[in-house]
Amino acid sequence: MVTATSNRKKPTLRTISELSGLAVPTVSRALNDAPDIGKDTKARVREIARQIGYVPNRAGVRLRTGKTNVISLVLGTDNEVTDHTGQLISSIARALRDTPYHMVVTPYFPEEDPMIPVRYIVETQSADAVILNRIEINDPRVAYLMKKGFPFVSFGRSKWRNKHPYFDFDNGSFGRIAADELVSLGCRSITMLAPPLEQSYASDMVAGANEALSEHGLNLEVLEGISGDDPGEVIQSRIAKYLEQNPGCDALICPSTTAAISAIVGAERVGREIGKDLHVFAKEGTPFLRYFRKTVGTVREDVRAAGEFLAKAAVRAIEDPTAEPLQRLIEATCERHAGENRS
């Protein structure tokens, strides 16, 4: 176990230098992930720094380099009851653990302009890069950051997707899989509780489901005036009313675990039996719905993989701004067939 030379003094780069036998500049470069420093040396220096509780002086770092070593995750607050957001935050933080960068979460509320936190970060230079989610097709945050030349990566794709780094799930393939699975169960009147339609993944999801259903001579109905981001009580009430007015509806497609649970509660409130006279297919970040109702079909989103890639892409955007932006699109796969355990 490495200990500092003095328990009363705040550990410095020189402290690590003395304990490691390396020069102070080498220690500094190792902590800043310099490419000319070997992997083993970086690991040894970081382990010593961790053991003695070394924390870099951010003000000093900014004065020397003009950087904050901060990456800001800008998140909208919502009524999500599962750990989707928690997984995203922890996976980004874990991916940044062995880099000189640290994550801060910058929240904004539904009634607020989502541009406010982004402008604040850029104008105050309080971070070196931004990670965005809930991307709109014509997202003003993306347009603003591109115009300013400020490093960022988006969880989702805007209409400028070819010009900026992003990570996204192929929600078009989710829509196609959901529709095909439900048709295979004999469903003929399929309704989607979509995400907010101004968000790009919603349009992909609707287009994918429509494409698959058209091949079977069927049409998709998308609920109007409500989205999968609405509070659970609203979804429950609206689904219950919709099913009473549309008794022929035999399937629901939901964009998230929370939306699916609320929709199922609303359906059962008016006497529908999931897996019998109403089938449900949903997208989820954690394998949960199968335990809630075993006949629900699901496609799994690997949120941890998303967080790891977003962190990597943000670091790349900071350190090599002229390089091709990192981009990744993961195609959806059916994790659990909606027809399993059917009777």
Side-chain angles (χ1 to χ4, degrees):
M1 176 72 177
V2 176
T3 57
T5 55
S6 171
N7 290 330
R8 294 183 179 276
K9 293 181 180 179
K10 182 179 179 180
T12 65
L13 292 176
R14 185 168 296 282
T15 310
I16 302 173
S17 172
E18 293 171 353
L19 293 169
S20 66
L22 298 169
V24 171
T26 302
V27 170
S28 177
R29 291 180 63 76
L31 290 173
N32 284 284
D33 202 29
D36 59 330
I37 303 297
K39 182 178 179 181
D40 292 342
T41 299
K42 291 177 183 178
R44 180 159 64 96
V45 168
R46 287 168 180 160
E47 179 59 20
I48 293 172
R50 185 192 66 78
Q51 290 183 6
I52 67 175
Y54 169 77
V55 178
N57 185 315
R58 291 194 182 279
V61 170
R62 188 162 186 173
L63 283 173
R64 291 194 307 273
T65 67
K67 294 170 59 178
T68 63
N69 283 358
V70 169
I71 294 174
S72 181
L73 172 62
V74 180
L75 283 177
T77 60
D78 55 26
N79 297 300
E80 183 68 59
V81 297
T82 62
D83 66 343
H84 185 284
T85 301
Q87 285 188 65
L88 182 63
I89 292 172
S90 65
S91 60
I92 292 173
R94 186 179 297 107
L96 293 175
R97 183 171 56 182
D98 292 330
T99 76
Y101 299 96
H102 300 266
M103 179 190 67
V104 298
V105 176
T106 304
Y108 66 91
F109 297 92
E111 66 274 12
E112 294 179 337
D113 180 358
M115 282 295 300
I116 292 174
V118 175
R119 285 199 189 99
Y120 176 82
I121 293 166
V122 173
E123 292 171 0
T124 62
Q125 295 291 297
S126 52
D128 297 327
V130 171
I131 298 175
L132 304 173
N133 77 336
R134 296 185 175 180
I135 303 302
E136 298 180 6
I137 298 172
N138 296 291
D139 200 301
R141 300 169 302 170
V142 172
Y144 173 77
L145 291 167
M146 290 176 63
K147 181 179 179 180
K148 291 291 185 179
F150 194 88
F152 76 97
V153 57
S154 63
F155 190 177
R157 294 171 293 165
S158 73
K159 73 175 184 181
W160 305 286
R161 59 189 65 180
N162 293 332
K163 299 180 180 180
H164 66 79
Y166 66 77
F167 179 96
D168 202 5
F169 295 103
D170 187 347
N171 288 282
S173 66
F174 164 70
R176 289 189 293 273
I177 289 170
D180 284 337
E181 290 287 305
L182 292 168
V183 170
S184 74
L185 295 172
C187 300
R188 293 295 179 268
S189 180
I190 299 173
T191 299
M192 178 181 288
L193 171 61
L197 292 177
E198 66 272 13
Q199 295 181 18
S200 59
Y201 83 105
S203 60
D204 292 339
M205 192 180 296
V206 171
N210 267 320
E211 178 184 325
L213 290 178
S214 67
E215 295 175 0
H216 300 282
L218 301 173
N219 296 312
L220 175 71
E221 180 165 355
V222 179
L223 287 174
E224 297 181 354
I226 188 172
S227 81
D229 281 4
D230 283 328
E233 296 81 3
V234 173
I235 294 175
Q236 292 172 26
S237 176
R238 179 62 190 279
I239 291 296
K241 183 177 180 180
Y242 174 80
L243 292 175
E244 284 185 321
Q245 295 175 342
N246 298 270
C249 175
D250 53 16
L252 292 174
I253 299 175
C254 299
S256 68
T257 303
T258 306
I261 291 172
S262 299
I264 289 169
V265 171
E268 292 179 340
R269 183 185 298 172
V270 293
R272 291 300 195 97
E273 187 173 353
I274 308 304
K276 292 294 183 72
D277 60 2
L278 183 70
H279 293 279
V280 176
F281 201 97
K283 185 158 62 83
E284 61 179 355
T286 301
F288 173 81
L289 286 170
R290 70 181 71 181
Y291 303 112
F292 178 65
R293 295 292 183 273
K294 64 182 181 180
T295 56
V296 175
T298 62
V299 158
R300 174 84 181 278
E301 284 188 340
D302 189 345
V303 181
R304 294 191 183 279
E308 291 171 2
F309 187 89
L310 290 168
K312 180 180 178 182
V315 171
R316 167 79 167 270
I318 295 168
E319 298 186 346
D320 197 356
T322 62
E324 286 293 317
L326 292 181
Q327 301 171 339
R328 187 178 181 189
L329 178 66
I330 293 184
E331 187 172 349
T333 56
C334 185
E335 182 166 273
R336 177 179 174 82
H337 193 286
E340 286 184 14
N341 298 317
R342 71 182 106 166
S343 58

